[in-house]
Amino acid sequence: MIALFVDKIRFFDTTLRDGEQTPGVSLKPDQKVEIASMLSDLGVATVEAGSAAASDGERTALRMIADAGLSAEVATFVRALPLDIDHAADNGADCVHLVVPVSDLHISAKLRKRREDVMEMALTAVEYAKERGLVVELSGEDASRADPAYLADLFREGVERGADRLCYCDTVGILTPERVAEAVPPLLFAPLSIHCHDDLGMALTNTLAALKAGASSAHVTVNGLGERAGNTPLEEMVMALETLYGVDTGVRTEGLYALSAAVSKMTGVPLPVNKAIVGEMAFTHESGIHAHGVLRNASTYEPIRPEQVGRTRRILLGKHSGSASVRAALQELGYACTDAQVGEIVSRVKIIGDEGRRVTDADLMAVADAVMEIVRHPVITLKQVTVISGSNVIPTASVTLTVKDEEVTCAATGNGPVDAAVEALRRAVSDVAAIRLEDYRVDAITGGTDALVDVSVCLSREGRMITSHGARTDIIMGSVEAMVSGMNRLLEEKR
């Protein structure tokens, strides 16, 4: 393992500030409290709760987070202005992230001031924040394009005036590990944080380089959210330190995926399917050689166990699948097949894969039933579905099903017509079983306004999970088809 300069790494999470600056993202105060609580429970040292000076809503969120009794330090972004600092102190912040532009570009073009003016503003703000009883993290904005001598003078004077911590900001993501190694050591007048952006894909690498060079704190965001290309991802940073550097971060890593999924849902920013650690495909295998190796020994094709980050391994079936992965999937679904039957099922699975389709659990079960000549009667049958949606109308769905030969009609509202239809279906079978929708995906198969869409759903019941799909030109009916198919499989008696 490569040793870092310091033994204890602090994580300063700025999801609720820099992460919320992702275009189109706006979190409500209660959502911010929920995310802050999850971060604190995970073991993050500092949660930056937004910018107290920005709005009444931001101040409300800061106060709610400060009153939540978190173990994490609660910080807020402030400029070198007394009013910003007052907002922070008056609303319960423990710490201010005092950000001061330090490059000549920012000083002249943005502030229209001189270096001397910014120095005086920064030092006065540090002193005032300390008078208000706040921890001060003095941050040099655009430090990677600043005069190193000026930055060092500002940081040195800031610490002499009372700053508790310092922060080097690579505001536009132009650092390299070599430059980091040169920039960090001369600035260690106090504990130093590194704040990197990912414009050139270097945020994680540069953050690691800074920690190796003497920085003791990493600024991160969940899922790498942030302006433009985002910031250093918390989940990747933690697992890189734990796995590659042998550092005990103190973070409860098994909670990383739940946090990631919650933030993705609340912000409306989907996770790239191939994203490290938390992406859908991070622990998913299809290739016959890979799947066979993983089934025998997971470390053959996985650097970490999925359980370490709150995930489970998935073996997807498709045209690359071999008999080992198909047999394992069949066994998990409760089928006991002969070698000849497995061979025929593999052949049919490959045909489905060659058609460009993802092979869901329901697909595999249908193929296995056909090969094994099993006749099944559906537990539920859809008789009718009606959905009402439009401007100034709450989306409402009504469904009529036969459930175990009894007719059931149920209605529900939702955030949209699909959500309403899914909820109505779940309620219709609630007397028989509690079924949860774990995942929902839509892919357009053809182009145009009459595009055929493939809806995939993942449903669960009492720990058992099933994937199924529906393909229609109508996204609502495609979703209903996928739900009914999956629910039928979950409601079948155990084999």
Side-chain angles (χ1 to χ4, degrees):
M1 300 295 182
I2 302 174
L4 298 181
F5 190 88
V6 294
D7 295 327
K8 180 65 175 176
I9 304 298
R10 297 180 77 258
F11 291 98
F12 182 112
D13 187 277
T14 181
T15 303
L16 303 181
R17 199 271 303 174
D18 219 335
E20 196 187 20
Q21 290 172 201
T22 301
V25 172
S26 181
L27 295 166
K28 299 175 183 177
D30 60 329
Q31 292 176 317
K32 286 199 168 194
V33 174
E34 183 176 348
I35 293 171
S37 298
M38 295 180 75
L39 286 165
S40 179
D41 292 343
L42 211 65
V44 169
T46 301
V47 174
E48 188 173 25
S51 176
S55 69
D56 289 337
E58 286 286 90
R59 289 187 283 279
T60 297
L62 173 59
R63 170 54 63 187
M64 290 171 65
I65 293 170
D67 291 342
L70 307 184
S71 58
E73 175 186 75
V74 178
T76 187
F77 175 98
V78 298
R79 297 162 296 180
L81 298 172
L83 182 60
D84 283 25
I85 295 167
D86 286 337
H87 282 314
D90 294 343
N91 289 282
D94 303 311
C95 168
V96 286
H97 180 206
L98 174 57
V99 179
V100 181
V102 291
S103 70
D104 289 332
L105 174 63
H106 277 232
I107 290 171
S108 61
K110 188 170 77 172
L111 295 185
R112 299 187 183 277
K113 294 184 181 295
R114 301 171 303 161
R115 288 185 180 184
E116 296 80 4
D117 300 326
V118 172
M119 175 77 78
E120 182 59 31
M121 288 172 59
L123 301 181
T124 301
V126 168
E127 291 180 330
Y128 184 61
K130 295 308 296 180
E131 289 174 9
R132 293 298 317 258
L134 296 162
V135 173
V136 176
E137 181 153 331
L138 176 60
S139 195
E141 183 181 15
D142 205 28
S144 49
R145 293 190 291 188
D147 175 1
Y150 174 70
L151 178 63
D153 286 345
L154 187 145
F155 276 1
R156 184 186 300 106
E157 289 290 330
V159 171
E160 289 179 2
R161 299 291 184 96
D164 302 278
R165 301 192 295 261
L166 303 170
C167 180
Y168 186 105
C169 294
D170 183 22
T171 301
V172 292
I174 60 169
L175 279 178
T176 63
E178 294 79 11
R179 285 191 59 204
V180 171
E182 294 175 357
V184 167
L187 301 176
L188 300 177
F189 308 112
L192 182 71
S193 300
I194 181 73
H195 179 109
C196 292
H197 281 259
D198 206 33
D199 295 78
L200 295 173
M202 299 290 284
L204 178 66
T205 302
N206 288 331
T207 301
L208 286 167
L211 295 176
K212 185 180 178 185
S216 56
S217 175
H219 281 214
V220 292
T221 61
V222 178
N223 301 335
L225 288 173
E227 293 186 87
R228 305 180 311 280
N231 294 52
T232 304
L234 167 66
E235 60 283 348
E236 295 178 23
M237 190 73 231
V238 169
M239 295 314 297
L241 287 170
E242 295 263 356
T243 305
L244 304 178
Y245 289 82
V247 174
D248 181 2
T249 62
V251 170
R252 188 174 60 81
T253 61
E254 62 272 17
L256 285 171
Y257 180 64
L259 171 64
S260 170
V263 169
S264 177
K265 182 177 180 180
M266 281 187 258
T267 59
V269 179
L271 293 170
V273 294
N274 63 340
K275 189 184 186 309
I277 312 299
V278 294
E280 179 185 348
M281 298 303 176
F283 298 99
T284 299
H285 309 270
E286 180 186 324
S287 169
I289 296 173
H290 281 211
H292 192 202
V294 166
L295 289 168
R296 288 192 171 184
N297 185 330
S299 63
T300 53
Y301 290 105
E302 289 177 352
I304 61 175
R305 293 180 296 104
E307 294 80 10
Q308 287 179 259
V309 293
R311 305 289 304 274
T312 55
R313 183 177 301 108
R314 294 177 63 207
I315 305 295
L316 283 187
L317 301 182
K319 62 183 179 182
H320 301 112
S321 299
S323 58
S325 54
V326 172
R327 186 185 295 277
L330 288 167
Q331 289 174 346
E332 187 175 331
L333 292 170
Y335 288 87
C337 304
T338 66
D339 290 343
Q341 289 170 334
V342 170
E344 177 59 24
I345 292 169
V346 169
S347 297
R348 298 192 187 191
V349 163
K350 289 181 178 291
I351 290 171
I352 297 174
D354 280 334
E355 294 174 352
R357 285 174 49 196
R358 300 172 66 185
V359 182
T360 65
D361 296 332
D363 293 329
L364 179 61
M365 295 165 81
V367 169
D369 288 349
V371 170
M372 299 175 73
E373 298 182 346
I374 298 173
V375 177
R376 298 191 188 277
H377 299 288
V379 179
I380 63 175
T381 303
L382 178 67
K383 300 189 69 176
Q384 172 271 336
V385 57
T386 301
V387 178
I388 301 172
S389 184
S391 59
N392 302 318
V393 175
I394 298 175
T396 305
S398 171
V399 298
T400 300
L401 309 173
T402 55
V403 183
K404 293 186 175 180
D405 299 325
E406 292 187 11
E407 188 171 294
V408 177
T409 298
C410 195
T413 59
N415 292 326
V418 171
D419 186 45
V422 167
E423 182 60 23
L425 288 167
R426 289 181 59 253
R427 291 185 184 182
V429 300
S430 60
D431 288 343
V432 177
I435 293 178
R436 285 170 48 90
L437 175 63
E438 301 290 347
D439 192 29
Y440 177 90
R441 174 183 295 277
V442 179
D443 295 303
I445 300 175
T446 59
T449 56
D450 60 346
L452 183 66
V453 295
D454 186 11
V455 179
S456 298
V457 299
C458 178
L459 306 176
S460 68
R461 175 196 179 190
E462 298 175 357
R464 184 182 174 211
M465 299 184 74
I466 287 289
T467 57
S468 63
H469 76 89
R472 296 287 189 96
T473 55
D474 183 327
I475 190 173
I476 298 173
M477 290 310 300
S479 304
V480 169
E481 183 179 85
M483 287 290 295
V484 170
S485 174
M487 290 193 301
N488 259 319
R489 290 299 184 175
L490 281 177
L491 291 171
E492 288 176 355
E493 297 298 325
K494 292 184 178 179
R495 295 171 188 76

